[in-house]
Structures are given as structure tokens and as C-alpha cells.
């Protein structure tokens, strides 16, 4: 896998074209996903290695992307620590026992790898199916983003309770974040031992934080996790919404790749990062709703801007929305695979 387009680009080596994968590439925009989803709950899908492998393989077989991503969710760490997790159509993830007091924080377990063994098992099945064709990306949620679900009890627009805990009870917040960080580092090392070829850390809601708070409550724990990873030949990708602002700080945690949102010119931000850090991104996912002519123009605009740059992986600035036409996603991958640097 070291010679694959994705891993070479992640290590800032030259490739004949940018590799492509997309966040949420296995999901509700695909009819084939619904064929499986209609039979099982989302957590059953994640926890049954054969089914997780079937779903992981959908975009490999139907889209021809350059990297597979493990089918799972960032919230499985919170569940393993003691969160009572469910996913409900139209509502999203719910933790029935939110973490709001010191006693709640104290009750969370950190020795939980046995509870996540199904992920290691899924990775082994997926690697058999991939048979060396393309790399497999493992992932985990960043402590701040996972904390937000544990504290709010589900999705949130303003993260009011989470931010109140950071501001009013910083010591308790640090204990919670530190517990999640310990579990996350162990969990990603378990995924690496099971055979993933790259890992991505998702800090989806970091953009809710002020600069100082990002530094104190998010960045610091991501840096701790990255420093603990057994990363020989395994690139580490750091994603956050808000990376157009936080990227220079994210670089200090020493990831191999920073995944960039669509609010910034990708070349400009790459030039502001230390040499040797690759960028991933940064098409606005809404472009995939547009006419094919527009999709092609915008991909070429991005690629021509990045021409000659080593260390560029195509992705969206965030995940594919469930109602994006499958045909448009397939078309985008075709356009990208025809491009030559
Ligand atoms: O990218 C992939 O194809 C791999 C699988 C993957 C899922 N979730 C599957 C999923 C990955 C990498 C994730 C990460 C994840 N989960 C994040 C970080 C990425 C991001 O989008 O910022 C977050 C914040 C979550 C939490 C989560 N899981 C939410 C908020 C929801 C519900 C709302 C939504 O956007 O779907 C989920 C459920 C979920 N995770 C689904 C899928 C395919 C939908 C489940 C269904 O079919 O109902």
C-alpha cells in the first residue's frame, strides 16, 4: 500500500494525478446502502463485521475511489466508555445518559478495547475483500467532538452545554477530554494493528470554538493522540470543520495531512503550512448537486490551482449529503481519474 496514490500523496510524494476519496462515501445517497439499511439498524451494521465490510466496499465497487474508509461511526468510542447510544431516523445519534456531572465523568471507562473488538474484526474482513487494491482508512472522532455528543446527549446547533462545561468547569471538562483522548489513541492503535493503512481524526464541530478554547480543549488532545500513534508508514489525517482558520495550529500536532474545509483557497493555505504537510479537500459538497458541466469546471479549477503540488488528496470539505444524486458523485470520480498533473 505504500506505493498507492493515496498513501504517496499523504506523504507529500509525487503522483500522476490527485487521489480521490470522499467523506461519507458509503451512505444514504446510494440505493445499495438502503438495500442493506432497510434490513438492519445502523449500529447492527457497524457491529457485524461482514455487513460493515459489505458497506465499506460499496463505493469501492460502484465508484472506483482510491481509498476505502471503514464503515463505522465516531461515537462508538463514547458507547464503549459507557454511553447508551442509539441512532434514530431523522433525529441522528442519541446518548440516553448524557455526561453532565463529575460523577458521570468518573463513571466513564477507559479500558474498553475489548468492547471495540468488532471494529478490528471488520478491518480484517475488509482487507481480505480489498485484496491490496487500495488502502483502507481507519478513523476516530476527536475528543472535543465526541465530548459534545456525550454532554449534549445528541447533535446540537450551538453546543451550549458543552461550552458551558468548558467555561464554568474546565477541570471536569479536561478530565472528560483526557479520558476520551486515552481511549481514542488506544482505539486508533488497535485499528492500525488490525491492518488499516491510514487514519483520520474527525473534529467535525471544532469550528464552534474560539481560538483559545480550540487550543486548550481540542488541539492539545489531538496532539496527544497523534504523538501516541504507531504510525510507521501509516499517514495521519487531521480533519476539522474550521480548518481554514485552525490549520496552522493543527499542523503543530504533526499530522501528515490536514483536511481543509471549502472556505479557503487550498493552495494559499497549503503555502502557509510547514513543508511536508499534505492537504486534503476542499470542494464544497454542494457542487455535487449542480449540473455536470459545473462539477467538471469546479474540479478542474481546483486541480489547475494545485497543479504541480505534491501532497494533495481530493476530497470534499465535509461529507456527502444523503440527497446528492449518485450519478453526480460517480461523474466527479470519473472526471478526477481522467485528470493528469
Ligand atoms: O465516511 C464514510 O462513508 C464512513 C462512515 C462514517 C459514518 N459516520 C457513517 C454514518 C464516518 C466516517 C462517520 C463519522 C461521523 N459520525 C462524524 C464525523 C464526520 C462528519 O460528518 O463530520 C460525525 C459527526 C458522526 C456522528 C453522526 N453519525 C451523526 C451526526 C449522524 C446522523 C446524522 C447524519 O449526518 O447522518 C450519524 C449517523 C451515520 N453515520 C450515518 C452513516 C452512514 C447515517 C446512518 C443512517 O443510515 O441512518
Amino acid at each position: 500500500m505504500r506505493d498507492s496514490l493515496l498513501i504517496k500523496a499523504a506523504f507529500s510524494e509525487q503522483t500522476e494525478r490527485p487521489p480521490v476519496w470522499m467523506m461519507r462515501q458509503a451512505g444514504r445517497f446510494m440505493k445499495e446502502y438502503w438495500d442493506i439499511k432497510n434490513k438492519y439498524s445502523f449500529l447492527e451494521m457497524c457491529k457485524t463485521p461482514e455487513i460493515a465490510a459489505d458497506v465499506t466496499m460499496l463505493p469501492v465497487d460502484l465508484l472506483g475511489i482510491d481509498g476505502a474508509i471503514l464503515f463505522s461511526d465516531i461515537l462508538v468510542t463514547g458507547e464503549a466508555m459507557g454511553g447508551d447510544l442509539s441512532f434514530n431516523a431523522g433525529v441522528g445519534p442519541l446518548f440516553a445518559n448524557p455526561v453532565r456531572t463529575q460523577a458521570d465523568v468518573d463513571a466513564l471507562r477507559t479500558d474498553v478495547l475489548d468492547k471495540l473488538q468488532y471494529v478490528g474484526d471488520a478491518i480484517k474482513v475488509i482487507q481480505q475483500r480489498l485484496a491490496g487494491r487500495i488502502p483502507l482508512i481507519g478513523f476516530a472522532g476527536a475528543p472535543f467532538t465526541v465530548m459534545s455528543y456525550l454532554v449534549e446527549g445528541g447533535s446540537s446547533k450551538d453546543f451550549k452545554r458543552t461550552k458551558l462545561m468548558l467555561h464554568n468547569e474546565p477541570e471536569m471538562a479536561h478530565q472528560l477530554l483526557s479520558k476520551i483522548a486515552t481511549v481514542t489513541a488506544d482505539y486508533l492503535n488497535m485499528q492500525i494493528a488490525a491492518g488499516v493503512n491510514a487514519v483520520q481524526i474527525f473534529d467535525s464541530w471544532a469550528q464552534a470554538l474560539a481560538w483559545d478554547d480550540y487550543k486548550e480543549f481540542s488541539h492539545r488532545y489531538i496532539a496527544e493522540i497523534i504523538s501516541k500513534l504507531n504510525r510507521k508508514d501509516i499517514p495521519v489525517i487531521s480533519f476539522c470543520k474550521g480548518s481554514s482558520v485552525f490549520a496552522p495550529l493543527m499542523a503543530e500536532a504533526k499530522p501528515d495531512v490536514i483536511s481543509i474545509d471549502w472556505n479557503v483557497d487550498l493552495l494559499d493555505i497549503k503555502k502557509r503550512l510547514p513543508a511536508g504537510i499534505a492537504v486534503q479537500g476542499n470542494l464544497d459538497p454542494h457542487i455535487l448537486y449542480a449540473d455536470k458541466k459545473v462539477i467538471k469546471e469546479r474540479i478542474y479549477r481546483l486541480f489547475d490551482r494545485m497543479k504541480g503540488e505534491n501532497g494533495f488528496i481530493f476530497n470534499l470539505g465535509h461529507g456527502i449529503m444523503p440527497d446528492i444524486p449518485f450519478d453526480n458523485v460517480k461523474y466527479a470520480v470519473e472526471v478526477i481519474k481522467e485528470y493528469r498533473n
Side-chain angles (χ1 to χ4, degrees), residues 24-26 28 33 37 42 72-73 139 149 202 204 318:
R24 293 281 169 99
Q25 65 190 15
R28 289 161 293 181
Y33 176 83
K37 178 67 202 294
F42 176 67
S72 185
D73 198 82
F139 71 92
Y149 285 95
F202 285 93
S204 303
H318 203 177

Side-chain angles (χ1 to χ4, degrees), residues 207-311:
Q207 64 178 347
L209 294 174
W211 178 269
D212 285 351
D213 287 338
Y214 176 75
K215 212 168 162 175
E216 179 176 350
F217 297 104
S218 179
H219 165 67
R220 164 176 163 182
Y221 293 99
I222 294 172
E224 176 189 320
I225 293 165
I226 293 178
S227 75
K228 286 180 166 176
L229 296 181
N230 304 322
R231 59 197 286 201
K232 187 180 177 311
D233 288 343
I234 309 288
V236 177
I237 309 170
S238 184
F239 165 85
C240 89
K241 270 305 289 313
S243 50
S244 43
V245 173
F246 295 132
L249 197 51
M250 293 166 83
E252 290 176 20
K254 302 209 174 349
D256 299 288
V257 185
I258 298 180
S259 196
I260 304 287
D261 60 46
W262 63 92
N263 302 96
V264 72
D265 179 275
L266 195 58
L267 186 61
D268 283 352
I269 201 138
K270 188 170 193 292
K271 292 207 146 117
R272 284 194 273 132
L273 295 174
I277 296 200
V279 289
Q280 171 175 282
N282 77 337
L283 196 74
D284 177 352
H286 277 262
I287 296 294
L288 296 182
Y289 285 122
D291 294 337
K292 289 195 170 139
K293 182 171 150 283
V294 178
I295 294 174
K296 184 167 186 171
E297 268 169 21
R298 293 302 188 106
I299 290 171
Y300 269 71
R301 190 189 292 180
L302 174 63
F303 281 21
D304 290 345
R305 182 89 178 122
M306 297 303 288
K307 211 176 181 88
E309 284 290 316
N310 295 339

